Each structure stands twice: as structure tokens, then as C-alpha cells.
């Protein structure tokens, strides 16, 4: 037994060293907090470990082939740096990763690429282009035994063995430490147009968004922001208090974006689309949505709810009968960001009880550590799924040392 | 391919459509439904199910989930794993589990990622909730003929580098073109070494603009033929030729179909090497595949009635797959590992890579009763 991992903060500068640290921890059964650049440290159930292993010094883009739509980066590489590099080649991460920084009271652009995939926090374009998990092609990582392994690869189609890389997306560092990620990238659209409707009720807005997504115009974002959250946007038309705003995004080459926007506006006539943002204003607006500026500077609990799109307005309406809430609907209603009043359980009981009726699940994104320790931050799973989750955890991390309890007690 | 002492569990009688939910753009179906039947059921409301393997008339969604099937149009719409939102799965202990559903992201671990592409080794999928996509206003292919595979491969990279992701880019080499043209009379050019079928979608004006841009890009690669489809009938014929390709080649010879994937930039090198390998084994080869994603399907033409030829064809195929891995690709893009390629797995994976995958299998199926002989080499299964 070699187990004598020092307590404290470790930032290895090679994956071999990282594997060695994890192996030591496994031998000694010493739990470790797995961290990227720490920007989402305040999300999830608080992890109580004596040691932190961070990937922040594993930072480099190791492969970028624009004509193959593929990029590989070490896990600690700054997301902002990856996005900057892609932009130089008119490409992007099409899942539009959400930046939780401002909503968590931190800065913008602090996330790592590893943390981005480990949390699967996909943005507005998810309705057209898929989630972070859909852009994961391959991974190198270290399991809870301290063994380095790889899965997937760098090609777009691959059914050679199990898709372990994709399975690590959204596992919050509880299964393995990702050290290098290979991802699919896509061309950035030449033009972005946004249709705005003001003052719609949540119910009408969800209808309008659903209608937009059921057209052939490849709508790449639909968001409905309740007033007064609209005041946080920098665009004066949106901020100046015309009630809620519903925004529908079209992206493509110039003539197509113009054509589709005009056609879609006709179809949305019943919802009185009254304004349009050009490319520059559109990008600023959707950039602010991606950075969740609507929730900046508040300490009220913030939930991220995934539900059946067509039932979203009714879901929120039902919760609003007992809790004071403010909502932003994304993904045509399939994703609801819900800010609730400060109560001892952050509204967990009411939200989860309502979800049981409507379908879907809720994650507590922002709350005081005391709340996060006492309520279920991630949606409790039914017993059989929880039991399978425990078996999967043991298949990767039999000693249970990687981010123990971050998602679920005992996992 | 069942083992001699195994039970075959078929799902083909579970083939109903349970719900078409246009408001949430999903369909819930039983796993024994054929791929095409999902799109047919969704068509009256203007939707379709995107993955479209060539065998879509016959193959089931359950099979598509087992091998994470793609198809010609997956360049734009993704493969099965990107289009399945939920499954009902029966585990080996008899437990029935619902994972995901009619909302976009499932809670907890991403079990769908593991189940899709697991070749039936983790459980039996009986139902699925799949994404439906609105049909485009229109679609039209353009034929681009080249004097060499190199030029065609470079053109594919050129199109993508220019920021265009067509809905499909299909590649055929000279032998494949000739066989398909004789079979379907699709109007393919016969005097080229390589043919690309590039399809784009949108309104008539959008299609015209995109095809014009693609034709301009193609000009830099010295094309011998540039011909955009002029009508719906012509487009249908062009696709009929492509989708009938395997059948057409089957009319002239037995073939052994490979399914390796390579990084796109290695396409010319890969085709050159495939030709060289086949020549060394004294086989003709026809190449027909999804060029946009580098998924090669070399068809090794051989005589199935001659056991010696079969053995030689298998050796030849294994060498082609090793080549794919050495170029940075993988052993199988959409057909699965099965029994055929299980002993090649160590070419691509280390023992630690394979051990981690096998531990996942054990988590779902501790006694290894589901498709036990598949995917993993028989040696090295005794994990600690």
C-alpha cells in the first residue's frame, strides 16, 4: 500500500502524475474533490474532502482540424480560450455552453473545458444542435482506481466498444477524472436574427416557441424571460419595461436568415412579433442569455428544471401558487430557470412535488451551502435507477473516492 | 449470430407506434418497429426520424439502438444516440427501467449513452422516445465527379472548411458507380474515378445558393462533372442508386462489407492503402460510403462458396480495419463489433480501456448472459 496522499490542493501537470495521485488516494481510501478551474465549485452537494485534485495545469489544445470539425483539449484548458480559437476559424461549440459564473456571483469566462463537459450545461442552441454530450467524441481519463483509460476517438462515427466518454458527460467528476476531451465543433453561422414578442403570457410564449420549433426554419434558440428579469439585458428595447420578452433566433447565411426570419414572422402573426434584432444586437442578447445575466447579483435560490416543453407554463404556474418565483424558459419550454424565494428548503419540496405530476427533473444550481447540504440538489432517482447508478459508480470508482456525495448521498 | 447454447430473444413483434407528440416533437414507439415506419407515422404531421441507415426498410429501431446506426443524412442530424431521448429497458434481473423520456435531458448519469451502441449487452430495450424533426422545405443533391479519389477527398474537406455542413456527402468509386448505374440507371457519370453526391436542404432559393457555392468550391479540385439534380424525380433516382448500392453489388458478386472510420484528412491515403491491401490479397474492391464523416465501407468482392477465399477475405478485411485504426480512426462506425471484430479490439484499446468497458457490462449484467460472446475478446475477461 502506497497510500499517503498529502492533504491539500494538488494540480498535477501530467495525466500520469494525476493517475498516480488518484491511485494513492484509492489505496488509502481518501476521498478527493475533483476540480477543473473551480468555477462551478459552489454547485452540487458540498463535498467534504481533505484533498483537491485539479486539472487546471493540464491546459492545452492538443488537436484542431477545422476541416474535420474536431478539436481536442486537455481538461483544464480554459473554455474561453477554446471558444476564442474556434472563433478565429469561424467555428464554435454549437451547444453554446452556459456560463454560470455571473449567476454564482463569480466572474465571466472562468470555466474549463473539462468542467463544461462534466456538467453538461448546454445553452439555448441545444434545441437545434444538441447538448454538450452530443458533441463529445472521445475522452482520456483516470478512473477511481487510478488507472488511465480512453474511450471513443476523434472520428464522427464510432461504435467500437461502449461510449464511456459520453457517459462521463454530466457525471460531475464522480466517475472519473477526465484529462483530455475530443469534441465535435461546427461552423459558426454568418448571420443571426432574432424575432421579439413583448408582453406574452407564459402560456402564449410556450406556444409561440413550440410553433417556431416545429417549422423547417431551423430555429436555433427560443427563450421567454418574465418581467422584471428583462431589465438585466443591455438592449434598451428589451430592458425598458414592455413586460416579458419572447425571443426566437434564426441563424444561417445572409439571404437565408432574412428569408426564414420573414417567413417565421408571418407564422407568428398571432403573437404580434413587434421587433427584430440584427446580427450584432442578436449576438449581444444571446451572449447575455448564455451568461444568465437575468440572475446576476441575486442570492435567491436558482433551479434548473428539465421538463416536457408543452407543459412548462402550467408547471411554473402551479409552483407559483405557493412560492414567489421568477422564470426564464429556454429550449421551447423544455428548460426552465426558476428563481425562488429564500426558504429553508429553497422550495425543493414544492418544486419536486409539482414535477412528479408534470414530468421532468430539477437541479438546485444556486443556494447557500447549508441548503445544498440539507436538500436533494440533484433530482432523487427512483430506487431501481439509483441502484444502477451506484453500480455504475462502483464500476468506475469502487472505493468511492471521487467527489463523493456531490450528486447523490453514497455516490 | 446466436451461439449454439443460447436463447434468441426477438423483439420484432413489439412494433407499435405508441404516440406521435407533435407539440413536443417526439415519438414513443416499441423497439421492434422498423426505422422507416417511424418516419412514415410522423409524416402526416410533417415530421421525420432522422437516422436513415441504408437498410431502413428492414432494420428495427432496437437494432439501430444496439449499434448506434447512422445513415446518409447523419452528417447534419447526428446518429441514433443524438436522436433518442428515452428508453424503456428490461435488465437481467427482470427490472423494467424507464430512462429519460419526453424531456430533453435525462436526470442523473447518462445511461442512454451507454445503452445506445452496447450491442444488446446491457439490457433489452423494448420502447424508446425519439426526437422528431420537421421536414425541410426541400432538398436537392448535386453530383460532383473527379479524376481521382484524392481530388474528391480534398473537395469534401474544402466544402466543410468553407463552413457548409451539407445534409449528406456520399462517395462512390469507379467500380461502385458502374454497378449502381447498370442497376438503377440513375444518370451517374461513368468516366470518373470518384463521385460525390452532396445534398443540401432548404427553400428553392436557399438550395440554389448553397449548390452554387458548393459548385464554386468544387471548381478548385478540377472536377470532371458538376451536375445538380433538376427535379424531384431525378433526386429520387440519384438516392435510389446510392441506397441500392449494396444490393446491386450483391448481384454481381459476393462481398464482405467493412465499416472502418478514418479522419477525413486521411481519406486519399486510406483509399490508396485499401486498394493496395486488396490487390495484395487478389481481390477487387468497391468503395461506397459516407464521406462527410469518414465512415468507409470497402466491399471486398470474393466467392463465398470457396472456403479458402472466405478466409482470405477475412484476413484482408482485418488488415483494412487495422489500417483505419493506425490512421487515427476506429474499427467500426455503425455496424458494431459483434463477434467478427471482437478479437481486433486490442488493436484499438489497451487492456485498461477494455477492462473499464467490461466493468460497465458487469454492472448491468453480472453473469454476462446478454450477448456474451460479442464485443470483447474472450481472453482477459476475468477482471479482479
Amino acid at each position: 500500500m502506497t497510500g499517503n496522499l498529502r492533504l491539500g490542493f494538488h494540480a498535477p501537470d501530467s495525466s500520469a502524475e494525476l493517475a498516480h495521485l488518484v491511485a494513492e488516494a484509492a489505496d488509502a481510501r481518501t476521498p478527493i474533490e475533483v476540480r477543473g478551474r473551480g468555477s462551478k465549485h459552489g454547485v452540487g452537494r458540498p463535498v467534504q474532502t481533505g484533498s483537491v485534485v485539479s486539472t487546471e495545469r493540464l491546459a492545452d489544445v492538443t488537436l484542431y482540424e477545422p476541416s474535420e470539425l474536431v478539436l481536442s483539449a486537455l481538461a483544464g484548458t480554459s473554455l474561453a480560450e477554446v471558444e476564442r480559437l474556434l472563433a478565429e476559424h469561424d467555428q464554435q461549440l454549437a451547444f453554446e455552453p452556459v456560463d454560470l459564473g455571473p449567476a454564482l456571483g463569480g466572474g465571466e469566462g472562468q470555466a474549463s473545458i473539462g468542467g463544461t463537459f462534466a456538467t453538461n450545461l448546454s445553452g439555448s442552441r441545444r434545441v437545434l444542435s444538441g447538448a454538450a454530450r452530443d458533441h463529445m467524441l472521445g475522452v482520456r481519463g483516470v478512473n477511481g482506481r487510478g488507472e488511465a483509460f480512453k474511450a471513443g476517438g476523434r472520428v464522427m462515427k464510432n461504435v467500437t466498444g461502449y461510449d464511456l466518454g459520453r457517459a462521463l458527460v454530466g457525471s460531475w467528476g464522480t466517475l472519473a477524472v477526465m484529462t483530455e476531451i475530443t469534441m465535435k465543433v461546427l461552423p459558426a453561422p454568418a448571420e443571426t436574427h432574432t424575432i421579439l414578442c413583448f408582453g406574452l403570457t407564459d402560456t402564449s410564449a410556450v406556444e409561440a416557441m413550440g410553433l417556431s420549433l416545429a417549422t423547417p426554419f431551423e430555429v436555433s434558440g427560443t427563450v421567454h424571460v418574465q418581467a422584471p428579469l428583462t431589465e438585466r439585458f443591455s438592449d434598451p428595447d428589451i430592458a425598458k419595461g414592455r413586460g416579458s420578452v419572447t425571443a426566437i433566433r434564426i441563424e444561417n447565411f445572409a439571404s437565408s436568415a432574412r428569408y426564414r426570419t420573414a417567413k417565421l414572422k408571418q407564422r407568428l402573426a398571432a403573437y404580434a412579433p413587434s421587433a427584430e434584432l440584427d446580427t450584432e444586437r442578436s449576438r449581444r442578447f444571446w451572449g447575455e442569455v448564455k451568461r444568465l445575466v437575468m440572475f446576476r447579483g441575486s442570492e435567491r435560490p436558482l433551479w434548473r428544471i428539465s421538463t416536457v416543453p408543452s407543459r412548462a407554463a402550467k408547471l411554473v404556474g402551479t409552483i407559483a401558487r405557493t412560492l414567489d418565483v421568477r422564470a426564464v424558459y429556454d429550449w421551447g419550454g423544455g428548460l426552465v430557470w426558476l428563481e425562488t424565494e429564500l426558504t429553508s428548503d429553497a422550495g425543493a419540496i414544492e418544486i419536486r412535488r409539482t414535477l412528479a405530476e408534470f414530468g421532468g427533473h430539477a437541479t438546485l444550481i444556486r443556494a447557500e451551502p447549508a441548503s445544498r447540504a440539507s436538500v436533494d440538489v440533484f433530482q432523487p432517482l427512483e430506487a431501481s435507477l439509483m441502484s444502477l447508478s451506484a453500480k455504475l459508480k462502483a464500476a468506475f470508482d469502487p472505493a468511492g473516492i471521487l467527489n463523493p456525495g456531490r450528486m447523490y448521498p453514497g455516490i | 449470430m446466436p451461439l449454439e447454447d443460447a436463447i434468441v430473444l426477438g423483439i420484432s413483434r413489439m412494433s407499435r407506434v405508441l404516440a406521435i407528440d407533435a407539440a413536443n416533437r417526439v415519438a414513443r414507439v416499441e423497439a421492434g418497429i422498423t426505422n422507416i415506419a417511424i418516419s412514415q407515422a410522423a409524416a402526416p404531421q410533417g415530421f421525420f426520424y432522422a437516422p436513415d441507415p441504408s437498410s431502413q426498410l428492414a432494420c428495427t429501431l432496437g437494432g439501430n439502438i444496439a449499434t448506434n446506426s447512422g445513415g446518409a443524412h447523419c452528417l447534419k442530424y447526428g446518429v441514433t444516440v443524438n436522436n433518442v431521448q428515452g428508453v424503456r429497458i428490461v435488465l437481467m434481473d427482470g427490472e423494467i427501467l424507464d430512462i429519460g423520456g419526453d424531456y430533453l435531458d435525462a436526470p442523473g448519469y447518462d445511461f442512454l449513452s451507454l445503452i445506445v451502441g452496447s450491442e444488446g449487452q446491457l439490457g433489452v430495450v423494448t420502447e424508446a422516445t425519439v426526437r422528431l424533426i420537421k421536414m425541410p422545405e426541400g432538398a436537392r443533391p448535386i453530383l460532383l465527379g473527379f479524376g481521382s479519389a484524392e481530388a474528391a477527398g480534398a473537395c469534401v474537406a474544402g466544402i466543410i472548411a468553407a463552413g457548409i455542413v451539407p445534409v449528406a456527402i456520399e462517395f462512390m468509386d469507379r467500380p461502385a458507380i458502374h454497378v449502381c448505374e447498370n442497376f438503377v440507371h440513375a444518370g451517374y457519370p461513368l468516366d470518373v474515378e470518384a463521385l460525390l453526391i452532396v445534398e443540401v436542404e432548404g427553400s428553392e432559393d436557399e438550395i440554389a445558393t448553397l449548390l452554387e457555392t458548393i459548385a464554386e468550391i468544387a471548381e478548385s479540385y478540377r472536377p470532371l462533372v458538376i451536375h445538380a439534380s433538376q427535379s424531384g424525380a431525378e433526386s429520387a433516382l440519384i438516392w435510389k442508386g446510392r441506397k441500392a448500392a449494396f444490393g446491386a453489388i450483391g448481384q454481381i458478386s459476393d462481398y464482405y462489407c467493412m465499416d472502418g472510420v478514418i479522419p477525413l484528412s486521411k481519406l486519399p491515403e486510406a483509399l490508396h492503402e485499401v486498394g493496395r491491401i486488396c490487390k495484395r490479397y487478389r481481390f477487387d474492391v468497391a468503395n461506397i460510403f459516407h464521406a462527410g464523416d469518414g465512415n468507409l465501407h470497402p466491399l471486398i468482392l470474393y466467392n463465398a462458396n470457396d472456403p479458402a477465399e472466405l478466409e482470405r477475405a477475412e484476413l484482408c478485411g482485418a488488415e483494412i480495419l487495422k489500417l483505419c485504426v493506425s490512421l487515427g480512426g476506429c474499427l467500426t462506425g455503425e455496424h458494431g463489433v459483434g463477434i467478427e471484430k471482437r478479437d481486433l479490439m486490442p488493436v484499438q484499446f489497451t487492456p485498461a480501456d477494455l477492462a473499464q468497458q467490461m466493468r460497465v457490462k458487469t454492472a448491468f449484467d453480472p453473469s454476462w448472459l446478454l450477448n456474451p460472446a460479442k464485443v470483447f475478446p474472450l481472453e482477459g475477461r476475468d477482471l479482479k
Side-chain angles (χ1 to χ4, degrees), chain A residues 65-69 91 120 122 126-129 131 133-135 143 145 147-152 154-164 166-167 169-171 174-175 184 186-187 209-211 213-218 252-253 255-257 259-260 263 304 306-311 331-332 334 359-361 379 381-382 384-385 388-396 407-408 411, chain B residues 23-25 47 66-68 70-71 74-76 79 81-82 91 93 95-99 102-114 117-119 121-122 131 134-137 157 160-161 163-165 201-203 206 209-210 261-266 290 293 295 328-337 345 348-350 352-353 356-357 359-361 363-364 375-376 384:
Chain A
E65 290 283 352
S67 69
E68 289 180 19
L69 305 177
Q91 295 192 333
N120 195 30
S122 318
R126 196 241 183 282
V127 286
L128 180 69
S129 304
R133 53 95 74 177
D134 294 298
H135 296 78
N143 65 16
R145 297 165 180 256
E147 297 164 348
F149 70 96
K150 68 170 185 299
R154 61 172 282 197
V155 289
M156 296 296 151
K157 268 164 94 180
N158 190 344
V159 64
T160 322
Y162 299 163
D163 200 349
L164 303 185
R166 207 182 302 277
V169 181
S171 67
T174 61
L175 297 178
K184 180 180 180 179
L186 281 168
M209 293 192 290
L211 188 155
L213 289 169
T215 65
F217 307 128
E218 300 179 298
N252 214 347
F253 57 90
S255 62
S256 164
Y259 161 79
R260 292 177 175 195
K263 286 283 250 191
R304 185 174 187 271
S306 188
T307 189
V308 187
S310 64
R311 295 185 210 150
W331 303 359
H361 56 96
Q379 181 79 17
L381 305 174
E382 61 172 288
S384 51
L385 200 52
L388 190 61
S389 301
K391 288 178 193 161
L392 188 67
K393 166 80 171 174
F396 279 91
M407 291 181 80
Y408 302 105
I411 289 181
Chain B
N24 294 302
R25 302 167 297 284
F47 291 94
T67 61
N68 194 16
C74 69
L75 182 58
K76 176 171 175 184
V79 294
V81 73
N82 311 114
L91 300 179
D93 58 6
E95 188 88 50
I96 299 173
L97 217 57
D98 285 314
I99 296 171
D102 40 12
Y103 39 87
L104 284 169
D105 287 346
Y109 291 137
D110 194 338
F111 287 111
L112 288 174
S113 291
L114 294 171
S118 64
E119 305 194 23
Q121 287 200 304
L122 303 184
R131 246 178 106 200
K134 194 71 176 182
M135 287 177 198
E137 289 181 272
I160 290 174
I164 299 172
V165 180
E201 291 178 340
S203 69
E206 290 170 330
T209 306
L210 281 170
V261 188
I262 46 122
L264 215 47
S265 59
K266 309 283 188 190
H290 316 307
D293 45 32
N295 192 178
C330 66
L331 296 170
T332 172
E334 56 185 353
H335 295 179
V337 176
M345 288 290 271
Q348 188 175 333
F349 294 112
T350 66
D353 300 340
Q356 189 55 61
Q357 294 182 32
R359 288 190 190 107
V360 169
K361 158 85 171 151
F364 279 80
V375 182
F376 301 106
K384 52 174 191 311

Side-chain angles (χ1 to χ4, degrees), chain A residues 23 118 123 254 266:
Chain A
Q266 285 170 12

Side-chain angles (χ1 to χ4, degrees), chain B residues 92-358:
Chain B
M92 267 323 268
D93 58 6
E95 188 88 50
I96 299 173
L97 217 57
D98 285 314
I99 296 171
D102 40 12
Y103 39 87
L104 284 169
D105 287 346
Y109 291 137
D110 194 338
F111 287 111
L112 288 174
S113 291
L114 294 171
I115 291 163
V116 177
S118 64
E119 305 194 23
Q121 287 200 304
L122 303 184
V124 182
V125 174
T126 58
E127 282 178 31
T129 304
V130 300
R131 246 178 106 200
L132 297 178
I133 292 172
K134 194 71 176 182
M135 287 177 198
E137 289 181 272
R140 202 143 56 91
I142 185 170
L143 298 176
L144 305 172
F146 297 90
S148 71
E150 284 81 358
C155 182
V156 172
I159 292 168
I160 290 174
I164 299 172
V165 180
V167 67
I169 306 182
E170 298 292 291
F171 178 107
M172 299 165 100
D173 68 2
R174 180 184 275 269
I177 298 165
H178 281 251
V179 173
C180 292
E181 181 59 20
N182 280 338
F183 194 65
V184 173
H185 308 294
Y188 297 155
L190 294 172
D191 294 328
V192 299
E193 290 304 318
L195 176 67
L196 297 178
I197 305 172
V198 182
E199 181 157 272
V200 296
E201 291 178 340
S203 69
E204 230 352 279
D205 282 352
E206 290 170 330
I207 291 172
T209 306
L210 281 170
L211 290 184
E212 213 170 282
T213 311
I214 288 169
E216 270 169 34
I217 294 167
E219 286 292 355
S220 329
Y221 305 95
R222 310 213 315 194
L224 303 175
V225 174
I226 296 186
H227 173 73
S229 162
Q230 300 299 312
S231 68
E234 187 181 358
S235 302
L237 208 52
I238 287 171
W239 278 111
K240 190 176 169 197
R242 166 61 186 91
K243 293 217 169 184
F246 288 11
I249 290 168
Q251 299 270 317
I252 59 157
S253 169
D254 302 313
Y255 64 81
Y256 184 44
C257 175
M258 311 313 296
D259 175 46
V261 188
I262 46 122
L264 215 47
S265 59
K266 309 283 188 190
L267 191 58
E269 186 182 346
L271 291 176
H272 180 77
E273 284 299 308
V274 166
R276 221 176 46 89
I277 292 169
C278 291
K279 203 166 193 177
R280 191 146 46 75
Y281 283 90
R282 306 190 305 282
F283 288 120
D284 286 330
V285 61
N287 281 290
I288 179 150
F289 58 89
H290 316 307
D293 45 32
N295 192 178
L296 303 183
H297 292 309
L299 304 178
I300 302 168
L301 308 183
Y302 77 110
N303 177 4
N305 294 322
D306 179 344
E309 274 212 16
L310 171 61
E311 197 179 323
R312 200 148 46 86
E314 285 178 340
L315 289 172
C316 176
E319 207 161 313
I320 290 172
L321 295 183
K322 286 179 191 166
L323 165 76
C324 291
V325 174
S326 74
L327 291 174
C330 66
L331 296 170
T332 172
E334 56 185 353
H335 295 179
V337 176
I339 290 170
E340 180 199 36
K341 291 180 273 283
R342 100 192 146 197
D343 294 319
L344 290 173
M345 288 290 271
V347 176
Q348 188 175 333
F349 294 112
T350 66
D353 300 340
L354 289 172
Q356 189 55 61
Q357 294 182 32
M358 289 190 283

